[in-house]
Amino acid sequence: FIEPKYYIFISTINVTQPDSDYAYGKIGCEIEIMNRVKNFLIFRPGELCGEYDNTDRFDYSKWPDVYYKGNNIPVDYIDVTLFADTVIGLMENKIVGIIE
């Protein structure tokens, strides 16, 4: 194993309250990264939403208000464009750690 100089991993806020195989899988990935890589940046975002989302999970018809598909429950989300800008800024400054 050759340790990378810097490693970025997009995880999920669900690792703080794991309730699915997906969350447990992300926890396992985080643990492996922390055990193997000295300079890592792990993000734990909530719902990421934006213009090119093709998951069909959300209703974007009232953007910037976003709702779960099939009901009127609003989504507490992070705009993926702002998230990407944040990732790039922290990466450029070689920030290390876990960001929730």
Side-chain angles (χ1 to χ4, degrees), residues 20-58:
S20 68
D21 289 341
Y22 177 76
Y24 284 114
K26 288 285 193 170
I27 291 169
C29 292
E30 286 188 11
I31 291 168
E32 284 297 311
I33 291 164
M34 289 184 277
N35 287 336
R36 293 175 179 245
V37 180
K38 199 179 326 174
N39 296 313
F40 64 83
L41 182 58
I42 296 174
F43 287 93
R44 292 178 175 167
E47 301 286 8
L48 296 173
C49 293
E51 183 178 0
Y52 299 105
D53 178 12
N54 63 0
T55 63
D56 203 35
R57 297 179 298 162
F58 306 112

Side-chain angles (χ1 to χ4, degrees), residues 1-8 36-41 91 94-96:
F1 174 75
I2 299 172
E3 182 178 334
K5 290 182 181 180
Y6 191 68
Y7 194 92
I8 297 175
R36 293 175 179 245
V37 180
K38 199 179 326 174
N39 296 313
F40 64 83
L41 182 58
M91 177 184 71
K94 302 284 191 241
I95 302 301
V96 173

